[in-house]
Amino acid sequence: MGFQVDPSIYRVRMFKERGYVRQKCKYCGVYFWALRPRNDCNDAPCTDYTFFDIKLRVGPLSVKETKDRFIEFFRRRGHEVIEPHPVVARWREDLYLTIASIVVFQPHVTSGIVQPPANPLVIAQPCIRLEDIDSVGYTFGRHLTNFIMGGHHAFNYPDKFVYFTHETVELAREFFVDDLGVPEAEITFKESWWEGGGNAGPCFEVAVGGLEVATLVFMMYDVKDGRYVEMPIKIVDTGYGIERISWLTQKSPTAFHAIYGDLVDRYFKMLDLRVPPKEFFEVAVKYIGRLNPKNRDDLIKLLDHIVSASDYSEEEVARYLNDTINVFTLLDHVKTASLMLADGVVPSNAGEGYLARLVLRRIFRILVLLKSEDVLDELFLQQVDYWKALYPQLAKRKDYIVDVISHEARKYREVISRAPSLVRKYIKRGGEGLSLDELIELYDSHGIPPEIASEVASKYGVKVDVPSDFYSRIARRHSSAPIKRTVKEKVPSNVSELVRKLRPTKLLFHEDPYIREFSATIVMIHGPYVVLDQTAFYPEGGGQAADTGYLILPSGEAIRVLDTQKVGSVVIHKLAKELPQNLIGRAVTGRIDWERRYKLMRHHTATHIILGSARQILGDHVWQAGAEKTEERARLDITHYKPLSKEEIRKIEELANKVIVEGRKVKSMYLPKYVAEHKYGFRLYQGGVPLEPVIRVVEIEGLDAEACFGTHVSNTMEVGAIKIVGVDRIADGVVRLEYVAGTQVFEYARSLESKLAEASSILGGDVVQRAKAIVGELKSMTSLLTNYRKLILSSLTKQALAEAEYVAEGIKAGVICLSISDKNIVRELLIKLSSLASELVALAVMPASSGSLVELSLGSKAAGILDAREVLNNLLSKYGGKGGGKKDHASGFVRKDASKFCSEVRNDLLVILRNKLCKL
């Protein structure tokens, strides 16, 4: 941290009133506050876990009971309870996963754009963090990829103070000491600093018996380009570890036992592993806190401690540790993957889909190592059943979860089958080993885990060092979304800066999307760019093309409007020519190209209809991944984990047209952000997240509701009809639907009629009948061609063997000259010759565009003495050609007529072979 914290922020009144003393940890050097003198900060790894010996007032609490108790504690103290958000941060464009409770309120509340839903408030937010994924299991529960963060938050404005440092620390003491019964002498408050989501501030880390149980953050700064800028809003951002608090109350052998209960033993048994004795865990956990093992290298120290402190043999301890880490990792990862899939994530190679696949493939890898792939579905189903009361969405999406993991497991097996050949290419390309960048590229581009790459490389004598935190590094690289290109880049920067000083443009196209002509006053002219006080011209955005049309000047001259863009809340019109400055303040008439606009409106509403229909047919996991609406056609990219079947496409189109025929109302309305989210959920944010306190929502009755800026028809019947004209899988996990609507359906039909007529003319009759006849003829010709190939192959084989000349050392050579270019025949011929004559060096030459293709094949005996690549390159170098391949087979090209080359090359081949064999 490059920021000096004012130490007075940590001197809260409770410490003085109750006699807490500021001390410095002997091990980490950090300052902390405690009632009694101590030489450590009370947090692992500076101390062992001692909380097992601390008596509490409350009995054992499950995760759900802990969550409920936390919520009720703060509710009784004036905090309004806020329902948790999904683990996928749909309301954020910069972040994929909900990594903390404050993420729910960033950036709209923390930046002051939107008021919080309550103040103060409390929330128990399920979170997913993958930055420490490699350490899961090793610390017996200190590291998890999924957890519930109990957060109580207060937002202090310049004109409204709620509470800050003093009250926050007092509430923490009251919860742990008065409510749970932790002896006050066992609690410490460690001074620290926190950053995340673009904000930062000082904090206290609260620890009990070696276990950090809460973090109390006082958010005071925005982080901008590495600088800390003080925020006008001061925010209390706390994170209570619900699972850790549950562990604290239960005092179970590990956090996994506290969280997963009897699922721990069930997983051991399903995986056909022996359940370690309770005593093993009790001994191990004594050393886990201070040792803090994060990888298999660290386990050696832990193993030594357990062996020396118990009657277990080194072999027993090694087996128990290995099995335990695998089981704990599976428990954690299966739950994390289930939560992501239940919130509609589609595994892919980008975004949250990439992160879901990362977790899933770690699961598959462990199951392969344990030879337990057959229990994959059951591992997930057991967790769905175990967690359904706390996470109802798991049961609701159970079928989707099972279908996706089966699909992903098949893809993983395909990836692994391709691994050897891909890794070999990287080894040859990179020389001796594989660098970290190459391991990352193999994983990112081809899905090959580094452990598999290392195994393959070792077979070729290449040692690969895989970092123990490889997946954590990958997760960090992919945790944030790339910055999206904004539309303002289409406007010169100097114009963008000028318009920021202007008042917002009144948007007439929202008041009445059917308006075709309007009056307005010019407020700015800069070159060809014009700003009006109000406009009916729609600016490009949300995938909808910009309006065009005319501005009618006071003189009556009509100037073409070429483009319309929006910067902030100001609409900019680009004209075909510059206007004089004296027109500023004058009234003009705007006339939009209505026929074009109406086609765009139809296509935009059609896009909402297609999306709503796709969600109903395919499932709630369908989200918009991109869209474009033009006057000719529209496209919608949706998330889906496999290609669409013809039946699914038919059903989507059928439902879409049913919605059109039913004449459902298309309503546009403005709703407060929280009201809209409560009513429609986060499916609102299909095309982006508006950072506004009030959201414009477009709703198609009973089908779809989205936050949308675009123009729409008022009734689905106006769309006329929808025809899906193309479906393509444009990326892993993304399917593109292309379609036409309204009059464009008839244009599409006319185009098809024209093509059919042309095809009929070419084929000479009914297209279907002639096509059937042609297919039949093609099959007959293919069969005939196959028979001819067999005859030619037999003839060439006999000829080549008969004409082969003895060279030396028992090796023969033959040259086959073909007058036609047929790679299939050449391939089959060389394979057959190699199998029939192990001593044969066979060279095949066939014509190619602007030269000759050359193939050289060695029988097994010849390949034991010679190298095909070396022989071929020596041969072709004389003619300016070159080749490559394997030791027993090489191919090349030479810019020389095939018949001439074939007559000359025979003697050259014999000379080269004799020279090489004589040297041997």
Side-chain angles (χ1 to χ4, degrees):
M1 181 192 69
F3 185 79
Q4 188 63 42
V5 183
D6 181 355
S8 66
I9 193 76
Y10 297 115
R11 299 182 186 279
V12 300
R13 66 184 175 217
M14 188 197 82
F15 295 156
K16 183 177 181 180
E17 291 172 355
R18 301 191 68 85
Y20 281 72
V21 179
R22 189 172 189 247
Q23 305 169 60
K24 189 175 183 179
C25 180
K26 172 184 174 182
Y27 302 99
C28 66
V30 172
Y31 286 97
F32 65 93
W33 296 80
L35 274 180
R36 65 178 175 86
R38 52 188 306 148
N39 61 9
D40 61 67
C41 60
N42 197 27
D43 188 14
C46 297
T47 184
D48 293 319
Y49 289 145
T50 60
F51 68 88
F52 297 103
D53 302 319
I54 298 174
K55 292 183 179 180
L56 307 183
R57 184 179 304 113
V58 298
L61 298 174
S62 68
V63 172
K64 185 178 185 304
E65 289 168 340
T66 304
K67 182 211 59 151
D68 293 344
R69 192 178 187 101
F70 170 84
I71 290 290
E72 181 58 22
F73 174 88
F74 284 96
R75 188 195 65 77
R76 292 198 310 266
R77 285 155 182 78
H79 293 68
E80 186 172 324
V81 180
I82 303 300
E83 287 300 309
H85 282 38
V87 296
V88 183
R90 303 285 187 189
W91 61 95
R92 297 282 296 263
E93 292 192 332
D94 60 336
L95 199 64
Y96 296 124
L97 301 175
T98 309
I99 59 172
S101 60
I102 193 63
V103 166
V104 171
F105 311 105
Q106 291 174 317
H108 51 285
V109 177
T110 56
S111 63
I113 296 172
V114 180
Q115 288 287 315
N119 196 10
L121 59 83
V122 63
I123 185 172
Q125 177 59 47
C127 299
I128 291 178
R129 280 186 202 163
L130 304 180
E131 284 80 357
D132 292 316
I133 192 169
D134 293 289
S135 299
V136 170
Y138 290 94
T139 53
F140 284 27
R142 183 178 175 86
H143 295 91
L144 304 168
T145 61
N146 72 83
F147 53 92
I148 297 175
M149 179 176 285
H152 68 91
H153 302 277
F155 303 86
N156 299 286
Y157 295 86
D159 59 347
K160 182 188 178 182
F161 179 81
V162 182
Y163 66 77
F164 205 46
T165 55
H166 302 300
E167 297 84 355
T168 303
V169 173
E170 287 165 3
L171 283 167
R173 191 209 69 81
E174 190 177 345
F175 177 72
F176 287 110
V177 176
D178 297 345
D179 194 69
L180 297 184
V182 174
E184 193 166 358
E186 298 294 344
I187 192 169
T188 59
F189 295 84
K190 185 167 68 171
E191 297 176 7
S192 190
W193 178 265
W194 178 92
E195 289 188 27
N199 301 115
C203 71
F204 285 114
E205 293 173 359
V206 185
V208 176
L211 190 65
E212 183 186 336
V213 288
T215 304
L216 316 177
V217 179
F218 308 109
M219 192 180 289
M220 303 168 65
Y221 303 95
D222 287 323
V223 184
K224 297 180 178 178
D225 301 321
R227 296 179 299 108
Y228 297 94
V229 181
E230 188 170 353
M231 299 164 56
I233 307 172
K234 303 299 187 288
I235 301 169
V236 172
D237 166 28
T238 65
Y240 286 63
I242 299 300
E243 286 85 358
R244 289 190 180 186
I245 296 170
S246 176
W247 189 18
L248 172 67
T249 67
Q250 291 187 47
K251 296 178 173 45
S252 54
T254 72
F256 283 93
H257 289 84
I259 298 165
Y260 294 95
D262 64 352
L263 264 186
V264 175
D265 285 0
R266 275 192 264 163
Y267 261 48
F268 269 101
K269 290 170 184 175
M270 280 190 286
L271 296 164
D272 199 23
L273 301 174
R274 181 182 169 189
V275 180
K278 183 181 178 182
E279 294 75 23
F280 162 78
F281 291 116
E282 290 173 345
V283 173
V285 82
K286 287 181 181 178
Y287 303 102
I288 287 284
R290 191 179 291 274
L291 290 176
N292 196 30
K294 293 183 178 179
N295 53 57
R296 295 201 174 271
D297 292 337
D298 293 343
L299 287 184
I300 297 172
K301 298 176 186 175
L302 179 60
L303 185 147
D304 291 341
H305 278 79
I306 296 172
V307 171
S308 62
S310 70
D311 295 329
Y312 301 115
S313 68
E314 186 173 313
E315 184 182 350
E316 282 179 306
V317 173
R319 185 177 73 249
Y320 284 151
L321 281 175
N322 187 66
D323 291 349
T324 296
I325 289 165
N326 284 329
V327 168
F328 285 176
T329 303
L330 286 172
L331 281 163
D332 173 89
H333 287 15
V334 168
K335 184 183 174 188
T336 295
S338 297
L339 290 172
M340 294 177 78
L341 295 176
D343 274 347
V345 174
V346 174
S348 66
N349 291 330
E352 64 271 14
Y354 176 97
L355 298 173
R357 180 167 284 169
L358 183 151
V359 176
L360 284 170
R361 290 190 170 176
R362 278 176 58 88
I363 293 170
F364 303 152
R365 172 67 178 156
I366 292 172
L367 291 178
V368 169
L369 289 173
L370 296 177
K371 296 181 173 57
S372 297
E373 298 105 306
D374 57 324
V375 300
L376 174 64
D377 288 2
E378 190 59 28
L379 294 177
F380 276 84
L381 290 172
Q382 289 277 343
Q383 293 237 25
V384 168
D385 185 63
Y386 188 84
W387 293 109
K388 63 186 178 185
L390 192 56
Y391 305 103
Q393 69 270 29
L394 290 176
K396 184 182 176 184
R397 305 279 170 77
K398 179 173 70 173
D399 291 343
Y400 170 69
I401 292 171
V402 172
D403 198 18
V404 168
I405 60 171
S406 299
H407 183 74
E408 283 295 303
R410 285 194 298 273
K411 296 189 77 166
Y412 178 75
R413 288 192 289 271
E414 291 170 5
V415 165
I416 299 308
S417 69
R418 296 195 300 268
S421 59
L422 281 167
V423 174
R424 278 199 302 270
K425 289 179 182 178
Y426 274 76
I427 292 171
K428 291 176 182 177
R429 185 183 76 180
E432 293 186 359
L434 293 174
S435 66
L436 176 60
D437 287 342
E438 286 175 318
L439 286 174
I440 291 172
E441 185 179 325
L442 274 166
Y443 185 80
D444 273 355
S445 301
H446 307 289
I448 298 173
E451 305 90 349
I452 298 294
S454 178
E455 288 173 12
V456 173
S458 67
K459 294 177 181 177
Y460 295 90
V462 176
K463 188 177 184 299
V464 176
D465 292 321
V466 180
S468 61
D469 63 343
F470 178 86
Y471 292 101
S472 299
R473 296 189 192 194
I474 291 291
R476 282 192 288 271
R477 284 165 59 114
H478 291 269
S479 62
S480 301
I483 298 172
K484 293 183 178 179
R485 185 184 71 86
T486 58
V487 74
K488 69 181 182 184
E489 293 175 17
K490 295 189 176 182
V491 177
S493 58
N494 60 330
V495 177
S496 295
E497 289 304 313
L498 285 172
V499 302
R500 292 187 191 282
K501 304 171 185 177
L502 303 177
R503 291 182 177 180
T505 307
K506 187 177 182 181
L507 307 177
L508 299 176
F509 54 80
H510 277 174
E511 294 181 4
D512 180 8
Y514 292 88
I515 191 171
R516 307 181 187 196
E517 191 170 297
F518 66 97
S519 297
T521 301
I522 296 177
V523 297
M524 191 198 84
I525 298 172
H526 189 87
Y529 297 97
V530 172
V531 176
L532 308 174
D533 65 335
Q534 59 181 10
T535 186
F537 283 94
Y538 179 81
E540 180 185 3
Q544 181 175 328
D547 276 343
T548 57
Y550 292 91
L551 274 189
I552 315 301
L553 305 183
S555 65
E557 183 183 2
I559 308 297
R560 184 72 177 161
V561 177
L562 303 174
D563 190 20
T564 312
Q565 297 293 330
K566 184 170 175 280
V567 175
S569 56
V570 177
V571 177
I572 303 172
H573 309 77
K574 184 179 181 181
L575 308 186
K577 73 173 197 176
E578 297 183 14
L579 300 185
Q581 291 292 316
N582 61 14
L583 285 178
I584 294 176
R586 299 291 298 276
V588 292
T589 299
R591 187 179 298 149
I592 68 170
D593 185 340
W594 172 248
E595 185 179 346
R596 180 176 180 276
R597 155 73 84 75
Y598 194 52
K599 288 178 180 178
L600 288 168
M601 287 167 62
R602 281 174 145 178
H603 275 133
H604 201 148
T605 304
T607 298
H608 285 225
I609 293 172
I610 286 285
L611 179 58
S613 300
R615 283 176 72 89
Q616 286 201 14
I617 299 301
L618 303 175
D620 289 341
H621 63 277
V622 169
W623 283 76
Q624 178 178 309
E628 183 181 40
K629 306 98 183 177
T630 67
E631 57 184 310
E632 292 84 16
R633 62 173 56 195
R635 65 167 173 82
L636 173 69
D637 300 336
I638 61 172
T639 55
H640 191 54
Y641 56 101
K642 54 187 177 184
L644 296 187
S645 66
K646 289 182 180 179
E647 180 64 13
E648 287 170 332
I649 297 167
R650 183 191 66 76
K651 285 182 177 180
I652 293 170
E653 185 178 272
E654 192 175 79
L655 177 56
N657 283 292
K658 182 174 180 286
V659 169
I660 291 170
V661 172
E662 289 172 351
R664 301 190 192 187
K665 290 181 180 178
V666 181
K667 297 183 292 184
S668 299
M669 67 199 92
Y670 289 91
L671 295 173
K673 173 184 170 66
Y674 300 119
V675 172
E677 289 177 352
H678 180 74
K679 184 175 182 179
Y680 299 109
F682 295 103
R683 65 189 175 98
L684 277 170
Y685 304 130
Q686 298 288 340
V689 184
L691 291 178
E692 302 289 344
V694 177
I695 297 173
R696 182 173 184 264
V697 178
V698 175
E699 180 186 22
I700 299 174
E701 287 182 330
L703 181 75
D704 182 71
E706 300 178 37
C708 183
F709 189 76
T711 57
H712 290 266
V713 297
S714 61
N715 190 291
T716 58
M717 198 173 287
E718 289 185 60
V719 176
I722 290 175
K723 177 61 187 171
I724 297 175
V725 299
V727 179
D728 190 22
R729 186 167 169 269
I730 62 167
D732 201 12
V734 180
V735 176
R736 172 167 292 173
L737 297 164
E738 293 191 59
Y739 42 94
V740 291
T743 55
Q744 295 306 113
V745 174
F746 306 121
E747 292 294 334
Y748 177 72
R750 274 198 287 269
S751 172
L752 287 181
E753 286 177 350
S754 176
K755 289 177 180 177
L756 280 171
E758 185 180 356
S760 180
S761 174
I762 293 170
L763 295 172
D766 180 89
V767 173
V768 176
Q769 294 302 321
R770 287 296 301 137
K772 287 180 178 178
I774 289 170
V775 169
E777 292 170 11
L778 183 60
K779 287 181 179 177
S780 177
M781 290 176 66
T782 302
S783 176
L784 191 62
L785 183 60
T786 300
N787 290 331
Y788 281 142
R789 271 204 175 115
K790 288 179 180 177
L791 290 172
I792 294 171
L793 182 62
S794 176
S795 175
L796 287 173
T797 303
K798 290 176 182 177
Q799 181 183 343
L801 291 172
E803 295 179 356
E805 293 186 38
Y806 179 79
V807 183
E809 301 294 328
I811 300 299
K812 292 183 178 180
V815 177
I816 306 103
C817 300
L818 283 82
S819 57
I820 58 170
S821 183
D822 191 326
K823 291 182 180 179
N824 288 332
I825 282 184
V826 170
R827 187 179 300 113
E828 290 180 38
L829 173 63
L830 295 178
I831 290 172
K832 194 167 185 179
L833 287 173
S834 297
S835 65
L836 291 173
S838 64
E839 75 281 5
L840 185 64
V841 176
L843 182 75
V845 180
M846 57 183 158
S849 176
S850 68
S852 304
L853 288 175
V854 185
E855 301 268 348
L856 181 72
S857 181
L858 307 183
S860 58
K861 181 179 177 180
I865 304 172
L866 301 164
D867 187 316
R869 296 164 294 192
E870 188 181 334
V871 172
L872 186 64
N873 276 313
N874 285 347
L875 184 66
L876 298 183
S877 61
K878 176 181 176 182
Y879 303 94
K882 60 180 180 178
K886 300 178 181 178
K887 191 176 187 300
D888 62 348
H889 185 92
S891 58
F893 175 81
V894 63
R895 293 189 179 280
K896 192 173 180 67
D897 178 75
S899 59
K900 292 181 180 177
F901 176 69
C902 210
S903 63
E904 298 174 13
V905 78
R906 186 185 303 273
N907 288 332
D908 292 337
L909 176 62
L910 293 172
V911 170
I912 289 170
L913 290 174
R914 286 191 180 112
N915 288 339
K916 287 187 175 296
L917 291 169
C918 287
K919 288 179 182 178
L920 293 172

